[in-house]
Amino acid sequence: MTVRAGREFLALPGPTTMPDEVLQAMHRPALDIYSQQMIDLSDGLHRDLGKLFATTGKCYIYIANGHGAWEAVLSNVLSRGDKLLVLESGRFAVGWGHAAGLMGAEVEVLKGDWRRAVRPEEVEARLRADKDHTIKAIVVAQVDTASGVQNDIEAIGKAIRASGHPALYMVDTVASLGCMPFEMDEWGIDVAMSGSQKGLMTPPGLGFVAANERAQAVHKTANMRTPYWDWSEREGTEHYRRYAGTAPVHLLFALRQAIDMLNAEGLENAFRRHELLGEAVRRAVGAWTEGQVLGFNIAEPSERSNTVTTVTVSGGHDPKKLQTYCKEKCGVVLGTGIGDLQGQAFRIAHMGHVNAPMVLGTLGVIEVGLNALRIPHGKGGLEAAASWLGDNVAA
Ligand SMILES: *Cc1c(COP(=O)(O)O)cnc(C)c1O
C-alpha cells in the first residue's frame, strides 16, 4: 500500500518544482530567431539577469547546466598554469576547481570543513601570504548544496579587498540566486554564475554568467578560451551570436515567465519567503534532533542555508531507506547525502517555487517515514514548524 497517487513532489535541491505558468509558457511554436520579438525577449532577459545578479557587468546565457557555466567562467578568464584558489565548504566549489584542474589550471584548495562556512579571515591570511600574486582567481559557492552551508559572500569580498590582492573573485550562485540577497557589484564580485533549474524555477538547461570590467580585461589575454563559451565571440551585431548559434527559445520563454513571477512577488518578498520557510524546516529538524540520531550538518545556526537543509543520520540508521520510503510510499523526493556525506545524511530543499503547504507537507512526510522506519526522533517537528510560521507570518 502507498499514499502516493498524484504528482510526485521534488524536495531535492535541483531540479526543483516548476510553476505551471512556467511549463505553459513553453507550449508554443518556436520563434523566428532573427525576429525583433526574439531580440526583445533576449535583450530583456539579459537585462533582468543583470538585475538579479545586481551588476552593471555583462551577462551571458548558455545552453548548459551549472557545470557548463563553471566551464564558461574558467575558460574565459584563465590561462594555462594560472593558480585558482578554491574556498572549500562542501562539494561544489571543489567541483568547480576540479574542472579548472582538468582544463590546465593549478588548483589550490583552502581547506575548509563540511560542517561550517568559509572563514573570511583565513581567506585574507592566505592572500596576504601570496606576495607574488600567483593566485589569479578565487572560487566559492554562496550556498553549498551538499553541506547545506550559506557562505557570507559579502564578508569574503571584504577580506579579499582588505588583503589588497588582485585575484578575481568568482561566485557560484546556482543554489541561491533569486532566493537570497546577492549583490555582485556592491560586494566586489568580478564573476558570478548560476543555473536555471533551482531558485529560478525554470527547466534545467540554461547556465548564466555575469562578468564585470575587471574580468573582461583579464579575458582579453586568457588562453583557455574556446569558441562556444567565449565572451568575445558573443559580441557583434547579429543577435544570434549571443548564443553562438540557435537560441534555446523555449527555455527563454520559461525563464521570462519565471522572472516575471519573481518580479510580481517582489525579490525582497521572495527572499523573506525563503527565510520563513527555511526557518520552518529548521524548527522541525531542531525538534527531531532531540532523538539523538538526526542532526544538523552545519553546526552554527547562522550558517545554515535558507534554500537547503542537510540532516545527518547516525546510530546505524540508513538515510537512503528514509529517502526511498518518502519517495516510493508518499511521493516526496528528498535529496540524499552526497560527497563526504554519502550514506550519512538526507537533504531537504526549500528553494524556488516553494510555499507553506509544500514545505509542511514535506516535513510531515519525513515524520511519517521516521515513524515507519522506527528511526528515533524528537516529536513535534511539524508542530514546531507550523507554530513558527503562525507566529511570523502576520495575520
Ligand atoms: C546544482 C549545483 C551545481 C551544478 O549544477 P548542474 O546544473 O547540476 O551542473 C553547481 N553549484 C551548486 C551550488 C549547485 O547547487
Side-chain angles (χ1 to χ4, degrees), residues 13-15 64-70 91-93 96 140-146 172-176 193-198 204-207 308 338 347 351:
N65 58 17
H67 284 70
W70 279 346
R91 181 190 173 100
F92 286 90
W96 197 356
V140 67
Q142 185 171 24
V143 167
D144 187 284
T145 327
D172 173 334
T173 69
V174 177
S176 51
M193 54 71 63
S194 197
S196 51
Q197 80 278 21
K198 297 189 185 173
L206 295 179
V308 58
I338 57 172
R347 295 177 298 152
M351 67 175 86

PDB file of all heavy atoms in Angstrom, residues 13-15 64-70 91-93 96 140-146 172-176 193-198 204-207 308 338 347 351, ligand 1:
ATOM      1  N   PRO A  13      17.397  19.234  -3.933  1.00  0.00           N
ATOM      2  CA  PRO A  13      17.913  20.536  -4.379  1.00  0.00           C
ATOM      3  C   PRO A  13      18.333  20.538  -5.846  1.00  0.00           C
ATOM      4  O   PRO A  13      19.496  20.672  -6.174  1.00  0.00           O
ATOM      5  CB  PRO A  13      19.089  20.791  -3.436  1.00  0.00           C
ATOM      6  CG  PRO A  13      19.508  19.457  -2.953  1.00  0.00           C
ATOM      7  CD  PRO A  13      18.336  18.537  -3.037  1.00  0.00           C
ATOM      8  N   GLY A  14      17.405  20.421  -6.702  1.00  0.00           N
ATOM      9  CA  GLY A  14      17.604  20.586  -8.117  1.00  0.00           C
ATOM     10  C   GLY A  14      17.544  19.279  -8.881  1.00  0.00           C
ATOM     11  O   GLY A  14      18.205  18.339  -8.483  1.00  0.00           O
ATOM     12  N   PRO A  15      16.730  19.232  -9.954  1.00  0.00           N
ATOM     13  CA  PRO A  15      15.834  20.325 -10.344  1.00  0.00           C
ATOM     14  C   PRO A  15      14.691  20.460  -9.349  1.00  0.00           C
ATOM     15  O   PRO A  15      14.325  19.497  -8.682  1.00  0.00           O
ATOM     16  CB  PRO A  15      15.312  19.884 -11.726  1.00  0.00           C
ATOM     17  CG  PRO A  15      15.470  18.403 -11.746  1.00  0.00           C
ATOM     18  CD  PRO A  15      16.653  18.095 -10.874  1.00  0.00           C
ATOM     19  N   ALA A  64      23.366  25.209 -21.180  1.00  0.00           N
ATOM     20  CA  ALA A  64      24.272  24.423 -20.333  1.00  0.00           C
ATOM     21  C   ALA A  64      23.677  24.300 -18.943  1.00  0.00           C
ATOM     22  O   ALA A  64      22.823  25.091 -18.562  1.00  0.00           O
ATOM     23  CB  ALA A  64      25.637  25.113 -20.225  1.00  0.00           C
ATOM     24  N   ASN A  65      24.138  23.333 -18.189  1.00  0.00           N
ATOM     25  CA  ASN A  65      23.786  23.280 -16.770  1.00  0.00           C
ATOM     26  C   ASN A  65      24.838  24.049 -15.965  1.00  0.00           C
ATOM     27  O   ASN A  65      25.680  24.756 -16.543  1.00  0.00           O
ATOM     28  CB  ASN A  65      23.620  21.828 -16.315  1.00  0.00           C
ATOM     29  CG  ASN A  65      24.880  21.012 -16.556  1.00  0.00           C
ATOM     30  OD1 ASN A  65      25.954  21.565 -16.768  1.00  0.00           O
ATOM     31  ND2 ASN A  65      24.743  19.694 -16.521  1.00  0.00           N
ATOM     32  N   GLY A  66      24.799  23.880 -14.655  1.00  0.00           N
ATOM     33  CA  GLY A  66      25.759  24.594 -13.815  1.00  0.00           C
ATOM     34  C   GLY A  66      27.202  24.224 -14.135  1.00  0.00           C
ATOM     35  O   GLY A  66      28.082  25.090 -14.168  1.00  0.00           O
ATOM     36  N   HIS A  67      27.439  22.946 -14.410  1.00  0.00           N
ATOM     37  CA  HIS A  67      28.806  22.528 -14.765  1.00  0.00           C
ATOM     38  C   HIS A  67      29.289  23.249 -16.021  1.00  0.00           C
ATOM     39  O   HIS A  67      30.466  23.609 -16.125  1.00  0.00           O
ATOM     40  CB  HIS A  67      28.861  21.014 -14.990  1.00  0.00           C
ATOM     41  CG  HIS A  67      28.843  20.222 -13.711  1.00  0.00           C
ATOM     42  ND1 HIS A  67      27.735  20.133 -12.910  1.00  0.00           N
ATOM     43  CD2 HIS A  67      29.822  19.498 -13.095  1.00  0.00           C
ATOM     44  CE1 HIS A  67      28.026  19.368 -11.852  1.00  0.00           C
ATOM     45  NE2 HIS A  67      29.275  18.974 -11.945  1.00  0.00           N
ATOM     46  N   GLY A  68      28.378  23.450 -16.959  1.00  0.00           N
ATOM     47  CA  GLY A  68      28.734  24.190 -18.168  1.00  0.00           C
ATOM     48  C   GLY A  68      29.064  25.638 -17.848  1.00  0.00           C
ATOM     49  O   GLY A  68      30.040  26.196 -18.363  1.00  0.00           O
ATOM     50  N   ALA A  69      28.257  26.247 -17.002  1.00  0.00           N
ATOM     51  CA  ALA A  69      28.513  27.648 -16.628  1.00  0.00           C
ATOM     52  C   ALA A  69      29.843  27.775 -15.889  1.00  0.00           C
ATOM     53  O   ALA A  69      30.563  28.762 -16.052  1.00  0.00           O
ATOM     54  CB  ALA A  69      27.362  28.188 -15.792  1.00  0.00           C
ATOM     55  N   TRP A  70      30.185  26.771 -15.075  1.00  0.00           N
ATOM     56  CA  TRP A  70      31.518  26.771 -14.436  1.00  0.00           C
ATOM     57  C   TRP A  70      32.608  26.867 -15.500  1.00  0.00           C
ATOM     58  O   TRP A  70      33.537  27.651 -15.406  1.00  0.00           O
ATOM     59  CB  TRP A  70      31.745  25.445 -13.685  1.00  0.00           C
ATOM     60  CG  TRP A  70      31.131  25.332 -12.335  1.00  0.00           C
ATOM     61  CD1 TRP A  70      30.614  26.336 -11.556  1.00  0.00           C
ATOM     62  CD2 TRP A  70      31.003  24.115 -11.569  1.00  0.00           C
ATOM     63  NE1 TRP A  70      30.170  25.816 -10.365  1.00  0.00           N
ATOM     64  CE2 TRP A  70      30.398  24.461 -10.350  1.00  0.00           C
ATOM     65  CE3 TRP A  70      31.345  22.783 -11.803  1.00  0.00           C
ATOM     66  CZ2 TRP A  70      30.122  23.514  -9.350  1.00  0.00           C
ATOM     67  CZ3 TRP A  70      31.066  21.843 -10.814  1.00  0.00           C
ATOM     68  CH2 TRP A  70      30.467  22.206  -9.603  1.00  0.00           C
ATOM     69  N   ARG A  91      31.004  20.541  -1.391  1.00  0.00           N
ATOM     70  CA  ARG A  91      31.391  19.860  -2.613  1.00  0.00           C
ATOM     71  C   ARG A  91      31.544  20.769  -3.829  1.00  0.00           C
ATOM     72  O   ARG A  91      32.342  20.505  -4.728  1.00  0.00           O
ATOM     73  CB  ARG A  91      30.319  18.819  -2.898  1.00  0.00           C
ATOM     74  CG  ARG A  91      30.547  17.973  -4.114  1.00  0.00           C
ATOM     75  CD  ARG A  91      29.279  17.169  -4.381  1.00  0.00           C
ATOM     76  NE  ARG A  91      29.354  16.446  -5.632  1.00  0.00           N
ATOM     77  CZ  ARG A  91      29.640  15.150  -5.724  1.00  0.00           C
ATOM     78  NH1 ARG A  91      29.894  14.462  -4.644  1.00  0.00           N
ATOM     79  NH2 ARG A  91      29.663  14.557  -6.899  1.00  0.00           N
ATOM     80  N   PHE A  92      30.760  21.849  -3.879  1.00  0.00           N
ATOM     81  CA  PHE A  92      30.593  22.495  -5.174  1.00  0.00           C
ATOM     82  C   PHE A  92      31.750  23.384  -5.622  1.00  0.00           C
ATOM     83  O   PHE A  92      32.161  23.306  -6.777  1.00  0.00           O
ATOM     84  CB  PHE A  92      29.233  23.189  -5.245  1.00  0.00           C
ATOM     85  CG  PHE A  92      28.138  22.164  -5.394  1.00  0.00           C
ATOM     86  CD1 PHE A  92      27.511  21.612  -4.286  1.00  0.00           C
ATOM     87  CD2 PHE A  92      27.793  21.682  -6.641  1.00  0.00           C
ATOM     88  CE1 PHE A  92      26.539  20.617  -4.419  1.00  0.00           C
ATOM     89  CE2 PHE A  92      26.830  20.689  -6.793  1.00  0.00           C
ATOM     90  CZ  PHE A  92      26.201  20.156  -5.676  1.00  0.00           C
ATOM     91  N   ALA A  93      32.303  24.202  -4.731  1.00  0.00           N
ATOM     92  CA  ALA A  93      33.471  24.988  -5.151  1.00  0.00           C
ATOM     93  C   ALA A  93      34.616  24.046  -5.517  1.00  0.00           C
ATOM     94  O   ALA A  93      35.371  24.298  -6.469  1.00  0.00           O
ATOM     95  CB  ALA A  93      33.893  25.955  -4.049  1.00  0.00           C
ATOM     96  N   TRP A  96      34.086  22.833  -8.971  1.00  0.00           N
ATOM     97  CA  TRP A  96      34.451  23.894  -9.923  1.00  0.00           C
ATOM     98  C   TRP A  96      35.974  23.894 -10.104  1.00  0.00           C
ATOM     99  O   TRP A  96      36.487  23.946 -11.224  1.00  0.00           O
ATOM    100  CB  TRP A  96      33.952  25.241  -9.362  1.00  0.00           C
ATOM    101  CG  TRP A  96      33.871  26.374 -10.327  1.00  0.00           C
ATOM    102  CD1 TRP A  96      34.244  26.394 -11.640  1.00  0.00           C
ATOM    103  CD2 TRP A  96      33.365  27.686 -10.029  1.00  0.00           C
ATOM    104  NE1 TRP A  96      34.001  27.640 -12.179  1.00  0.00           N
ATOM    105  CE2 TRP A  96      33.468  28.444 -11.204  1.00  0.00           C
ATOM    106  CE3 TRP A  96      32.841  28.291  -8.874  1.00  0.00           C
ATOM    107  CZ2 TRP A  96      33.060  29.788 -11.258  1.00  0.00           C
ATOM    108  CZ3 TRP A  96      32.432  29.620  -8.939  1.00  0.00           C
ATOM    109  CH2 TRP A  96      32.541  30.361 -10.119  1.00  0.00           C
ATOM    110  N   VAL A 140      34.155  30.324  -4.921  1.00  0.00           N
ATOM    111  CA  VAL A 140      33.402  29.931  -3.728  1.00  0.00           C
ATOM    112  C   VAL A 140      31.936  29.789  -4.125  1.00  0.00           C
ATOM    113  O   VAL A 140      31.480  30.422  -5.079  1.00  0.00           O
ATOM    114  CB  VAL A 140      33.591  30.987  -2.603  1.00  0.00           C
ATOM    115  CG1 VAL A 140      32.953  32.322  -2.972  1.00  0.00           C
ATOM    116  CG2 VAL A 140      33.035  30.488  -1.270  1.00  0.00           C
ATOM    117  N   ALA A 141      31.204  28.961  -3.394  1.00  0.00           N
ATOM    118  CA  ALA A 141      29.757  28.835  -3.612  1.00  0.00           C
ATOM    119  C   ALA A 141      29.025  29.627  -2.528  1.00  0.00           C
ATOM    120  O   ALA A 141      29.386  29.541  -1.353  1.00  0.00           O
ATOM    121  CB  ALA A 141      29.336  27.367  -3.547  1.00  0.00           C
ATOM    122  N   GLN A 142      28.016  30.401  -2.931  1.00  0.00           N
ATOM    123  CA  GLN A 142      27.239  31.137  -1.929  1.00  0.00           C
ATOM    124  C   GLN A 142      26.530  30.141  -1.004  1.00  0.00           C
ATOM    125  O   GLN A 142      26.604  30.261   0.209  1.00  0.00           O
ATOM    126  CB  GLN A 142      26.217  32.069  -2.590  1.00  0.00           C
ATOM    127  CG  GLN A 142      25.475  32.929  -1.554  1.00  0.00           C
ATOM    128  CD  GLN A 142      24.614  34.014  -2.181  1.00  0.00           C
ATOM    129  OE1 GLN A 142      24.193  33.904  -3.343  1.00  0.00           O
ATOM    130  NE2 GLN A 142      24.345  35.063  -1.438  1.00  0.00           N
ATOM    131  N   VAL A 143      25.844  29.178  -1.615  1.00  0.00           N
ATOM    132  CA  VAL A 143      25.271  28.073  -0.847  1.00  0.00           C
ATOM    133  C   VAL A 143      25.898  26.798  -1.376  1.00  0.00           C
ATOM    134  O   VAL A 143      25.906  26.570  -2.583  1.00  0.00           O
ATOM    135  CB  VAL A 143      23.742  28.004  -1.018  1.00  0.00           C
ATOM    136  CG1 VAL A 143      23.190  26.681  -0.483  1.00  0.00           C
ATOM    137  CG2 VAL A 143      23.075  29.172  -0.308  1.00  0.00           C
ATOM    138  N   ASP A 144      26.433  25.974  -0.483  1.00  0.00           N
ATOM    139  CA  ASP A 144      26.877  24.663  -0.925  1.00  0.00           C
ATOM    140  C   ASP A 144      25.724  23.684  -0.700  1.00  0.00           C
ATOM    141  O   ASP A 144      25.304  23.442   0.431  1.00  0.00           O
ATOM    142  CB  ASP A 144      28.127  24.180  -0.190  1.00  0.00           C
ATOM    143  CG  ASP A 144      28.615  22.895  -0.845  1.00  0.00           C
ATOM    144  OD1 ASP A 144      27.985  21.828  -0.611  1.00  0.00           O
ATOM    145  OD2 ASP A 144      29.567  22.953  -1.637  1.00  0.00           O
ATOM    146  N   THR A 145      25.240  23.153  -1.783  1.00  0.00           N
ATOM    147  CA  THR A 145      24.026  22.346  -1.776  1.00  0.00           C
ATOM    148  C   THR A 145      24.251  20.968  -1.161  1.00  0.00           C
ATOM    149  O   THR A 145      23.299  20.268  -0.848  1.00  0.00           O
ATOM    150  CB  THR A 145      23.534  22.224  -3.232  1.00  0.00           C
ATOM    151  OG1 THR A 145      23.867  23.449  -3.894  1.00  0.00           O
ATOM    152  CG2 THR A 145      22.044  22.061  -3.311  1.00  0.00           C
ATOM    153  N   ALA A 146      25.510  20.573  -0.991  1.00  0.00           N
ATOM    154  CA  ALA A 146      25.799  19.286  -0.357  1.00  0.00           C
ATOM    155  C   ALA A 146      25.839  19.428   1.167  1.00  0.00           C
ATOM    156  O   ALA A 146      25.192  18.671   1.891  1.00  0.00           O
ATOM    157  CB  ALA A 146      27.114  18.731  -0.879  1.00  0.00           C
ATOM    158  N   ASP A 172      29.702  31.107  -7.208  1.00  0.00           N
ATOM    159  CA  ASP A 172      28.670  30.179  -7.691  1.00  0.00           C
ATOM    160  C   ASP A 172      27.375  30.495  -6.936  1.00  0.00           C
ATOM    161  O   ASP A 172      27.327  30.382  -5.705  1.00  0.00           O
ATOM    162  CB  ASP A 172      29.162  28.751  -7.399  1.00  0.00           C
ATOM    163  CG  ASP A 172      28.122  27.664  -7.695  1.00  0.00           C
ATOM    164  OD1 ASP A 172      26.917  27.948  -7.662  1.00  0.00           O
ATOM    165  OD2 ASP A 172      28.546  26.510  -7.931  1.00  0.00           O
ATOM    166  N   THR A 173      26.333  30.886  -7.694  1.00  0.00           N
ATOM    167  CA  THR A 173      25.039  31.203  -7.064  1.00  0.00           C
ATOM    168  C   THR A 173      23.947  30.245  -7.557  1.00  0.00           C
ATOM    169  O   THR A 173      22.771  30.600  -7.575  1.00  0.00           O
ATOM    170  CB  THR A 173      24.601  32.651  -7.369  1.00  0.00           C
ATOM    171  OG1 THR A 173      24.260  32.753  -8.766  1.00  0.00           O
ATOM    172  CG2 THR A 173      25.694  33.661  -7.060  1.00  0.00           C
ATOM    173  N   VAL A 174      24.342  29.038  -7.956  1.00  0.00           N
ATOM    174  CA  VAL A 174      23.358  28.114  -8.539  1.00  0.00           C
ATOM    175  C   VAL A 174      22.230  27.822  -7.539  1.00  0.00           C
ATOM    176  O   VAL A 174      21.066  27.734  -7.920  1.00  0.00           O
ATOM    177  CB  VAL A 174      24.025  26.794  -8.991  1.00  0.00           C
ATOM    178  CG1 VAL A 174      22.971  25.821  -9.518  1.00  0.00           C
ATOM    179  CG2 VAL A 174      25.056  27.053 -10.086  1.00  0.00           C
ATOM    180  N   ALA A 175      22.578  27.692  -6.268  1.00  0.00           N
ATOM    181  CA  ALA A 175      21.566  27.314  -5.270  1.00  0.00           C
ATOM    182  C   ALA A 175      21.120  28.512  -4.426  1.00  0.00           C
ATOM    183  O   ALA A 175      20.652  28.335  -3.304  1.00  0.00           O
ATOM    184  CB  ALA A 175      22.110  26.211  -4.372  1.00  0.00           C
ATOM    185  N   SER A 176      21.275  29.704  -4.958  1.00  0.00           N
ATOM    186  CA  SER A 176      20.932  30.872  -4.139  1.00  0.00           C
ATOM    187  C   SER A 176      20.329  32.034  -4.915  1.00  0.00           C
ATOM    188  O   SER A 176      19.546  32.811  -4.354  1.00  0.00           O
ATOM    189  CB  SER A 176      22.175  31.357  -3.378  1.00  0.00           C
ATOM    190  OG  SER A 176      23.284  31.538  -4.253  1.00  0.00           O
ATOM    191  N   MET A 193      28.117  33.093 -11.453  1.00  0.00           N
ATOM    192  CA  MET A 193      27.449  32.163 -12.368  1.00  0.00           C
ATOM    193  C   MET A 193      26.262  31.535 -11.660  1.00  0.00           C
ATOM    194  O   MET A 193      26.173  31.518 -10.438  1.00  0.00           O
ATOM    195  CB  MET A 193      28.411  31.100 -12.909  1.00  0.00           C
ATOM    196  CG  MET A 193      29.206  30.268 -11.931  1.00  0.00           C
ATOM    197  SD  MET A 193      28.310  29.049 -10.970  1.00  0.00           S
ATOM    198  CE  MET A 193      27.699  27.947 -12.230  1.00  0.00           C
ATOM    199  N   SER A 194      25.308  31.038 -12.485  1.00  0.00           N
ATOM    200  CA  SER A 194      24.148  30.361 -11.913  1.00  0.00           C
ATOM    201  C   SER A 194      23.542  29.423 -12.955  1.00  0.00           C
ATOM    202  O   SER A 194      24.071  29.275 -14.058  1.00  0.00           O
ATOM    203  CB  SER A 194      23.123  31.393 -11.425  1.00  0.00           C
ATOM    204  OG  SER A 194      22.209  30.775 -10.538  1.00  0.00           O
ATOM    205  N   GLY A 195      22.435  28.798 -12.568  1.00  0.00           N
ATOM    206  CA  GLY A 195      21.742  27.877 -13.472  1.00  0.00           C
ATOM    207  C   GLY A 195      20.239  28.098 -13.355  1.00  0.00           C
ATOM    208  O   GLY A 195      19.764  28.772 -12.444  1.00  0.00           O
ATOM    209  N   SER A 196      19.507  27.517 -14.295  1.00  0.00           N
ATOM    210  CA  SER A 196      18.068  27.815 -14.372  1.00  0.00           C
ATOM    211  C   SER A 196      17.204  26.997 -13.433  1.00  0.00           C
ATOM    212  O   SER A 196      16.104  27.405 -13.067  1.00  0.00           O
ATOM    213  CB  SER A 196      17.592  27.569 -15.807  1.00  0.00           C
ATOM    214  OG  SER A 196      17.988  26.276 -16.263  1.00  0.00           O
ATOM    215  N   GLN A 197      17.675  25.799 -13.019  1.00  0.00           N
ATOM    216  CA  GLN A 197      16.745  24.787 -12.500  1.00  0.00           C
ATOM    217  C   GLN A 197      16.605  24.726 -10.986  1.00  0.00           C
ATOM    218  O   GLN A 197      16.071  23.779 -10.463  1.00  0.00           O
ATOM    219  CB  GLN A 197      17.165  23.416 -13.026  1.00  0.00           C
ATOM    220  CG  GLN A 197      18.322  22.743 -12.304  1.00  0.00           C
ATOM    221  CD  GLN A 197      19.689  23.193 -12.737  1.00  0.00           C
ATOM    222  OE1 GLN A 197      19.845  24.261 -13.302  1.00  0.00           O
ATOM    223  NE2 GLN A 197      20.706  22.400 -12.455  1.00  0.00           N
ATOM    224  N   LYS A 198      17.103  25.739 -10.281  1.00  0.00           N
ATOM    225  CA  LYS A 198      16.969  25.679  -8.820  1.00  0.00           C
ATOM    226  C   LYS A 198      16.115  26.842  -8.347  1.00  0.00           C
ATOM    227  O   LYS A 198      14.899  26.816  -8.512  1.00  0.00           O
ATOM    228  CB  LYS A 198      18.345  25.587  -8.172  1.00  0.00           C
ATOM    229  CG  LYS A 198      19.024  24.279  -8.601  1.00  0.00           C
ATOM    230  CD  LYS A 198      20.292  23.953  -7.885  1.00  0.00           C
ATOM    231  CE  LYS A 198      20.905  22.697  -8.490  1.00  0.00           C
ATOM    232  NZ  LYS A 198      22.231  22.397  -7.970  1.00  0.00           N
ATOM    233  N   PRO A 204      15.869  22.625 -16.337  1.00  0.00           N
ATOM    234  CA  PRO A 204      17.324  22.538 -16.462  1.00  0.00           C
ATOM    235  C   PRO A 204      17.730  22.849 -17.893  1.00  0.00           C
ATOM    236  O   PRO A 204      16.980  22.564 -18.829  1.00  0.00           O
ATOM    237  CB  PRO A 204      17.615  21.067 -16.147  1.00  0.00           C
ATOM    238  CG  PRO A 204      16.409  20.527 -15.489  1.00  0.00           C
ATOM    239  CD  PRO A 204      15.249  21.352 -15.941  1.00  0.00           C
ATOM    240  N   GLY A 205      18.892  23.422 -18.063  1.00  0.00           N
ATOM    241  CA  GLY A 205      19.392  23.624 -19.420  1.00  0.00           C
ATOM    242  C   GLY A 205      19.933  25.005 -19.731  1.00  0.00           C
ATOM    243  O   GLY A 205      20.489  25.211 -20.800  1.00  0.00           O
ATOM    244  N   LEU A 206      19.768  25.959 -18.803  1.00  0.00           N
ATOM    245  CA  LEU A 206      20.364  27.272 -19.033  1.00  0.00           C
ATOM    246  C   LEU A 206      21.409  27.559 -17.957  1.00  0.00           C
ATOM    247  O   LEU A 206      21.158  27.338 -16.768  1.00  0.00           O
ATOM    248  CB  LEU A 206      19.303  28.384 -18.989  1.00  0.00           C
ATOM    249  CG  LEU A 206      18.228  28.375 -20.073  1.00  0.00           C
ATOM    250  CD1 LEU A 206      17.256  29.537 -19.848  1.00  0.00           C
ATOM    251  CD2 LEU A 206      18.851  28.458 -21.463  1.00  0.00           C
ATOM    252  N   GLY A 207      22.550  28.049 -18.398  1.00  0.00           N
ATOM    253  CA  GLY A 207      23.596  28.491 -17.477  1.00  0.00           C
ATOM    254  C   GLY A 207      23.798  29.985 -17.652  1.00  0.00           C
ATOM    255  O   GLY A 207      23.731  30.490 -18.780  1.00  0.00           O
ATOM    256  N   VAL A 308      18.440  25.065   1.420  1.00  0.00           N
ATOM    257  CA  VAL A 308      18.566  23.609   1.560  1.00  0.00           C
ATOM    258  C   VAL A 308      19.058  23.291   2.974  1.00  0.00           C
ATOM    259  O   VAL A 308      19.888  24.025   3.521  1.00  0.00           O
ATOM    260  CB  VAL A 308      19.520  23.011   0.490  1.00  0.00           C
ATOM    261  CG1 VAL A 308      20.895  23.630   0.556  1.00  0.00           C
ATOM    262  CG2 VAL A 308      19.608  21.490   0.598  1.00  0.00           C
ATOM    263  N   ILE A 338      25.464  13.561  -0.378  1.00  0.00           N
ATOM    264  CA  ILE A 338      26.416  13.364  -1.475  1.00  0.00           C
ATOM    265  C   ILE A 338      27.824  13.732  -1.012  1.00  0.00           C
ATOM    266  O   ILE A 338      27.997  14.422  -0.010  1.00  0.00           O
ATOM    267  CB  ILE A 338      26.034  14.157  -2.760  1.00  0.00           C
ATOM    268  CG1 ILE A 338      25.906  15.664  -2.472  1.00  0.00           C
ATOM    269  CG2 ILE A 338      24.741  13.621  -3.368  1.00  0.00           C
ATOM    270  CD1 ILE A 338      25.729  16.506  -3.734  1.00  0.00           C
ATOM    271  N   ARG A 347      18.786  15.411   2.482  1.00  0.00           N
ATOM    272  CA  ARG A 347      18.688  16.864   2.296  1.00  0.00           C
ATOM    273  C   ARG A 347      17.259  17.257   1.935  1.00  0.00           C
ATOM    274  O   ARG A 347      16.593  16.563   1.163  1.00  0.00           O
ATOM    275  CB  ARG A 347      19.652  17.313   1.184  1.00  0.00           C
ATOM    276  CG  ARG A 347      21.112  17.083   1.552  1.00  0.00           C
ATOM    277  CD  ARG A 347      22.053  17.457   0.428  1.00  0.00           C
ATOM    278  NE  ARG A 347      21.826  16.642  -0.761  1.00  0.00           N
ATOM    279  CZ  ARG A 347      22.077  17.021  -2.000  1.00  0.00           C
ATOM    280  NH1 ARG A 347      22.587  18.226  -2.226  1.00  0.00           N
ATOM    281  NH2 ARG A 347      21.842  16.221  -3.015  1.00  0.00           N
ATOM    282  N   MET A 351      13.831  25.703  -1.984  1.00  0.00           N
ATOM    283  CA  MET A 351      14.260  26.795  -2.861  1.00  0.00           C
ATOM    284  C   MET A 351      13.371  26.892  -4.100  1.00  0.00           C
ATOM    285  O   MET A 351      12.864  25.884  -4.590  1.00  0.00           O
ATOM    286  CB  MET A 351      15.722  26.597  -3.288  1.00  0.00           C
ATOM    287  CG  MET A 351      15.974  25.400  -4.186  1.00  0.00           C
ATOM    288  SD  MET A 351      17.691  25.332  -4.767  1.00  0.00           S
ATOM    289  CE  MET A 351      18.499  24.459  -3.415  1.00  0.00           C
TER     290      MET A 351
HETATM  291  C1  LIG B   1      23.458  22.100  -8.557  1.00  0.00           C
HETATM  292  C2  LIG B   1      24.674  22.906  -8.326  1.00  0.00           C
HETATM  293  C3  LIG B   1      25.709  22.997  -9.275  1.00  0.00           C
HETATM  294  C4  LIG B   1      25.735  22.157 -10.508  1.00  0.00           C
HETATM  295  O1  LIG B   1      24.698  22.430 -11.352  1.00  0.00           O
HETATM  296  P1  LIG B   1      24.325  21.386 -12.517  1.00  0.00           P
HETATM  297  O2  LIG B   1      23.258  22.117 -13.233  1.00  0.00           O
HETATM  298  O3  LIG B   1      23.849  20.153 -11.837  1.00  0.00           O
HETATM  299  O4  LIG B   1      25.528  21.169 -13.340  1.00  0.00           O
HETATM  300  C5  LIG B   1      26.755  23.845  -9.027  1.00  0.00           C
HETATM  301  N1  LIG B   1      26.818  24.555  -7.901  1.00  0.00           N
HETATM  302  C6  LIG B   1      25.864  24.492  -6.954  1.00  0.00           C
HETATM  303  C7  LIG B   1      25.999  25.320  -5.720  1.00  0.00           C
HETATM  304  C8  LIG B   1      24.763  23.658  -7.132  1.00  0.00           C
HETATM  305  O5  LIG B   1      23.833  23.580  -6.177  1.00  0.00           O
END
